[in-house]
Amino acid sequence: MEGGGGLVKADKNTPASELAQPPLPQPESPMRKIIMVASIAAGVQFGWALQLSLLTPYVQLLGIPHTWAAFIWLCGPISGMLVQPLVGYYSDRCTYRFGRRRPFIAAGAALVAIAVFLIGFAADIGHLSGDPVKSGIIKPRAIAVFVVGFWILDVANNMLQGPCRALLADLSGDNQRKTRTANAAYSFFMAVGNILGFAAGSYTHLHNLFPFSSTRACDVYCANLKSCFFLSILLLLTLTTLALTLVRETAWSRPEPENVGHEKPVPFFGEIFGALKDLPRPMRVLLLVTCLNWIAWFPFLLFDTDWMGKEVYGGEVGQGSAYGHGVRAGALGLMLNSVVLGFTSLAVEHLARALGGVKRLWGAVNILLALCLAMTVVITKKAESTRHFAVARNGGVLPSQPDAGVKIGALTLFAVLGIPLAVTYSIPFALASIFSSNSGAGQGLSLGVLNLAIVIPQMVVSVASGPWDALFGGGNLPAFVVGAVAAAVSAVFAFTMLPSPPPDTPSAKILSAAAAFH
């Protein structure tokens, strides 16, 4: 069979010390415990939603131009490429008395708190270190603090999400339906976190709850972002504490190697390369479809509110109020997106059965994703053709609010995109858990390998989207069009190449199996 800490082949000569999981299947845990662990996603996604809706405008307010703002987002993909496989590898092998996954989840939550402080107070720390207060000027010290905090935040998020999904797979035993349900629950709570984050981001008076957040270096927009982060860390720490307190893991003991003194454990990077080299065909196709899927998603996730502010509302950063109105409208659109995401997450299992399997569902929603990304061009052109301008008091030209039809079209686009996003957040991870279980692979490292197919496209998009957009005169549409093409190709591969998961196997009932949860 396939074995090892990742997806490396194993046979009777493979030392047991290289196996990341006990050979016996783990018994299932009650759904209430799975839901408690999945709820951590709400706290993680609250902060992520704030990044998506508010941080791109925020870094531009710190003086970073649009072309370079995308490079800031390299922090997430690079940290994800290194941290999540590393955390997955060591969480598969962790023999700590509190369990394999919980120590990493707790450490990730603590690092999030540190990162949020640095990001929220970047402008204040920069000003105290000598940055000018005037807007529109590059603030190098604030940018440096922000980037450090952003890196820590992305490292912490990867420390949380990988072990959380691996723990969900552990708690599901070998019940494939429960594995899919657990990932759908995780997707649902991501939607809950999104709704809270985007709702907070669209409310302009949240800083009144924290009067100390407004300072000379931190204007109202900055103070609102700071206040949102305060609430997100409170939610994350509360949910993480409850889950880690009430859902216990039994410490895992590493099996004794069969050939003591003759076999040596494969080092981490050796296992990563071995996992990639010896991937079974189902996992290779899954990585390909996931990679194309995220090439489609990331340009929109990166610049959705910026698109609303610039292309739909016709504004510019730091000039007039149109851009700010567009960003807030984008946050409202993302909240609608999250509502649809939440309801669709609850219906993923039913939709898959109705369409004849998860591969058909994934292919169908990728076609929908391609159509929606193509519609951004139509909405932008309609907004430009109906836009009126007025002369400001200082002699400048201010764009009018977009027509009602343009607003409704843009918000509808955001909402409909919640359907494919629900599938993107659940089906690939469920399939990775199922394929890795069938090959005897460790859940942590297997999900880390899947994460490579997510973060590498993000790195490519982060580096290439700014110069690519600049080739066509700036704006966000060129990257969106590339995303539409990638989504269409991903749909074709999902329909024609992605294998269907095997039928469910009987649930584990061996209460004496290793690594049981209680």
Side-chain angles (χ1 to χ4, degrees), residues 73-433:
W73 289 87
L74 276 174
C75 305
I78 291 176
S79 64
M81 183 175 66
L82 298 175
V83 173
Q84 199 160 119
L86 185 66
V87 168
Y89 175 87
Y90 284 108
S91 72
D92 282 340
R93 288 157 173 72
C94 181
T95 57
Y96 197 53
R97 65 189 181 93
F98 291 113
R100 291 194 293 173
R101 319 295 184 189
R102 294 196 304 159
F104 293 94
I105 296 173
L111 284 175
V112 167
I114 297 173
V116 164
F117 173 83
L118 291 175
I119 293 173
F121 286 89
D124 298 296
I125 296 174
H127 174 57
L128 291 175
S129 303
D131 279 345
V133 177
K134 186 178 179 181
S135 62
I137 298 177
I138 295 178
K139 303 174 177 63
R141 297 168 185 82
I143 293 172
V145 174
F146 171 83
V147 170
V148 171
F150 197 49
W151 273 91
I152 296 175
L153 181 62
D154 280 305
V155 168
N157 280 336
N158 280 289
M159 287 186 68
L160 275 167
Q161 294 183 79
C164 273
R165 286 194 183 269
L167 182 54
L168 289 175
D170 294 341
L171 295 172
S172 300
D174 64 350
N175 187 324
Q176 296 181 16
R177 182 173 181 178
K178 182 169 280 189
T179 299
R180 293 193 298 268
T181 302
N183 279 278
Y186 192 90
S187 178
F188 169 77
F189 281 107
M190 290 177 74
V192 172
N194 278 338
I195 293 171
L196 295 174
F198 296 139
S202 63
Y203 183 59
T204 59
H205 302 290
L206 196 61
H207 65 282
N208 292 332
L209 294 175
F210 305 96
F212 60 87
S213 61
S214 295
T215 63
R216 185 184 176 191
C218 188
D219 60 10
V220 173
Y221 184 90
C222 170
N224 273 322
L225 175 65
K226 195 186 297 183
S227 302
C228 289
F229 271 128
F230 290 153
L231 295 178
S232 73
I233 191 59
L234 177 62
L235 176 65
L236 175 62
L237 293 180
T238 300
L239 293 174
T240 302
T241 301
L242 287 174
L244 298 187
T245 301
L246 299 178
V247 180
R248 303 273 180 168
E249 289 182 271
T250 298
W252 179 68
S253 299
R254 187 187 303 275
E256 290 295 329
E258 295 178 5
N259 302 312
V260 179
H262 296 85
E263 299 285 353
K264 295 182 179 180
V266 180
F268 165 68
F269 288 106
E271 291 233 14
I272 284 287
F273 293 129
L276 295 174
K277 178 182 177 182
D278 298 319
L279 281 176
R281 185 178 182 277
M283 279 297 296
R284 290 188 181 186
V285 178
L286 175 61
L287 295 183
L288 175 61
V289 176
T290 301
C291 178
L292 290 168
N293 196 202
W294 277 97
I295 290 176
W297 270 117
F298 201 60
F300 189 79
L301 294 178
L302 184 61
F303 292 118
D304 44 19
T305 55
D306 190 61
W307 170 67
M308 285 290 283
K310 289 182 177 177
E311 277 88 346
V312 178
Y313 275 70
E316 293 292 339
V317 178
Q319 298 180 20
S321 60
Y323 183 81
H325 287 310
V327 169
R328 285 191 289 274
L332 174 61
L334 289 170
M335 186 173 66
L336 296 175
N337 172 279
S338 299
V339 172
V340 176
L341 166 64
F343 283 110
T344 306
S345 298
L346 298 176
V348 164
E349 188 74 17
H350 302 289
L351 290 173
R353 285 201 295 267
L355 293 176
V358 294
K359 60 178 290 183
R360 292 184 179 179
L361 172 61
W362 199 4
V365 299
N366 278 340
I367 292 176
L368 179 61
L369 172 59
L371 293 174
C372 288
L373 291 176
M375 284 299 297
T376 60
V377 178
V378 177
I379 293 172
T380 298
K381 298 305 179 184
K382 181 65 175 177
E384 291 174 350
S385 66
T386 59
R387 185 170 296 137
H388 304 287
F389 294 90
V391 179
R393 293 181 179 178
N394 60 2
V397 178
L398 297 177
S400 64
Q401 290 276 326
D403 290 351
V406 173
K407 291 181 181 178
I408 292 173
L411 293 177
T412 301
L413 176 72
F414 274 89
V416 173
L417 281 171
I419 298 173
L421 193 59
V423 175
T424 299
Y425 282 163
S426 58
I427 293 299
F429 299 95
L431 289 177
S433 295

